[in-house]
Amino acid sequence: MSKDDSHQDPDTLRIVGKRYYGRWISALVVLLMLAAAVSSMVQNPRFEWQVIADSFTQQSILQGVLMTLQLTAISVVLGFTGGTVLALMRLSSNPVLVSVSWAYTWFFRGVPMLVQLFLWYNIAALYPKVSVSLPWVGELWSASSNSLISPFSAAVIALVMHQAAYAAEIVRAGIQSVGNGQLEAAKALGYRPSEIFRYTVLPQAMRAILPPAGNEIIGQLKTTAVVSVIALQDVLFSAQIIYQRTYQVIPLLLVATLWYLLMTSVLSVGQFYVERYFARGVTRKEKREWFKRKPATFTAEQGRVSNG
């Protein structure tokens, strides 16, 4: 060190960041591997990209997309409605309600979705006839199970009951994340139980419910693919119909893959904005705290970084 450097003004000292050469090398290796994979996919004629482009918007494929979205919307809305009821039953002080909610969740989370779908599709083997009757009045209404349980209704019932079991645990965890102090404060202000749940519990619980709920909705959209085994025309079944006729298996499976990626990407974007809406109060608080921080400074006398 020269004499001039030893007497340099501490205010003019410059902090030099550490160079992470391993990060740049690993990033370069990953980029080269991605470029090789993309090049292989584009140049491989067996992918038949023109067939994929022509089949992407075929009428049967679009009908399958609409069926997939319809099944997802119905099962999510009804499933989370039932899951909320099951969560409230699980949190109640009534042992019967707690036991019923626990047994429901245990059963429908333990049985695979495909098995549930087959059971509802073949429910007529157990109950050939469904009827409603009253004591001393007799039968009021009856119908054949085969006429009631179509492939669509069997799929809806299976998806809703499967979704409700998982939604119940998500909602229960979100409600339990709200501190007891918040409930006691609301009671002290004279809120009724319904008002406590609406104005105190639900807004705070939503921040804990939304991330796993968003993942569950995306998973439910992909789960709808199992309905193809009962000949319900979703995206996958529509693709199967076409490639059984044209024998272009891989291109049609890639069409279904691209549609699922597109739908799940849209749901992911929606999840991001919904989560940001419900976390807006916390986000503003974090930003205010961040802007209040003083920048780090370095002094030669201290020889260390401080926050002022």
Side-chain angles (χ1 to χ4, degrees):
M1 180 182 294
S2 65
K3 183 177 181 181
D4 294 338
D5 293 338
S6 62
H7 293 85
Q8 189 175 1
D9 187 359
D11 294 335
T12 63
L13 293 176
R14 183 169 60 91
I15 299 175
V16 178
K18 183 179 179 181
R19 294 177 175 85
Y20 297 93
Y21 297 104
R23 294 181 183 178
W24 293 101
I25 295 173
S26 60
L28 180 61
V29 172
V30 171
L31 289 175
L32 290 175
M33 294 174 62
L34 288 175
V38 172
S39 176
S40 174
M41 294 172 61
V42 171
Q43 297 179 3
N44 190 342
R46 293 183 178 87
F47 277 90
E48 301 183 67
W49 292 108
Q50 188 59 46
V51 176
I52 294 174
D54 295 337
S55 304
F56 193 75
T57 55
Q58 280 195 20
Q59 184 65 28
S60 59
I61 295 293
L62 295 179
Q63 290 177 354
V65 171
L66 291 177
M67 176 60 70
T68 298
L69 293 175
Q70 185 179 2
L71 289 172
T72 303
I74 294 173
S75 61
V76 166
V77 172
L78 297 181
F80 271 88
T81 301
T84 303
V85 175
L86 289 169
L88 295 177
M89 291 171 58
R90 185 76 177 272
L91 296 172
S92 70
S93 57
N94 189 325
V96 176
L97 297 180
V98 173
S99 300
V100 170
S101 176
W102 179 88
Y104 180 98
T105 305
W106 167 77
F107 180 82
F108 284 98
R109 286 202 308 172
V111 179
M113 177 62 206
L114 189 59
V115 177
Q116 296 180 40
L117 182 62
F118 280 133
L119 285 174
W120 285 108
Y121 187 63
N122 297 283
I123 195 67
L126 296 175
Y127 298 96
K129 182 181 178 182
V130 178
S131 61
V132 177
S133 60
L134 293 175
W136 304 290
V137 176
E139 187 176 86
L140 300 177
W141 174 85
S142 65
S144 171
S145 296
N146 286 324
S147 62
L148 293 176
I149 306 298
S150 63
F152 179 79
S153 58
V156 168
I157 294 172
L159 289 169
V160 167
M161 302 193 76
H162 177 79
Q163 181 68 80
Y166 286 90
E169 293 300 290
I170 293 173
V171 174
R172 181 174 68 89
I175 294 175
Q176 289 180 327
S177 68
V178 180
N180 291 329
Q182 300 288 333
L183 304 180
E184 293 174 358
K187 291 178 181 178
L189 292 173
Y191 283 8
R192 295 191 297 270
S194 60
E195 293 176 333
I196 293 175
F197 180 78
R198 181 179 177 184
Y199 297 112
T200 303
V201 176
L202 189 59
Q204 298 182 66
M206 288 298 289
R207 290 198 292 267
I209 291 173
L210 283 175
N215 293 334
E216 186 64 28
I217 293 171
I218 293 173
Q220 185 73 350
L221 187 145
K222 295 182 293 183
T223 302
T224 57
V226 302
V227 303
S228 61
V229 300
I230 58 173
L232 193 61
Q233 190 177 353
D234 68 325
V235 177
L236 180 59
F237 188 75
S238 299
Q240 289 174 334
I241 291 175
I242 298 175
Y243 73 61
Q244 286 174 359
R245 185 178 68 251
T246 63
Y247 300 103
Q248 296 169 325
V249 178
I250 297 300
L252 270 300
L253 288 178
L254 288 176
V255 168
T257 300
L258 292 174
W259 269 113
Y260 279 116
L261 285 174
L262 178 61
M263 291 185 286
T264 54
S265 299
V266 171
L267 289 177
S268 298
V269 172
Q271 177 186 0
F272 168 77
Y273 283 105
V274 172
E275 287 182 12
R276 191 173 71 172
Y277 173 79
F278 280 97
R280 60 192 184 278
V282 177
T283 304
R284 284 198 298 266
K285 182 179 178 182
E286 290 175 351
K287 287 183 178 179
R288 287 195 300 269
E289 293 177 352
W290 188 86
F291 281 116
K292 287 180 181 178
R293 297 175 185 172
K294 294 183 179 180
T297 58
F298 182 85
T299 60
E301 292 81 0
Q302 294 176 340
R304 60 184 178 85
V305 177
S306 66
N307 288 324

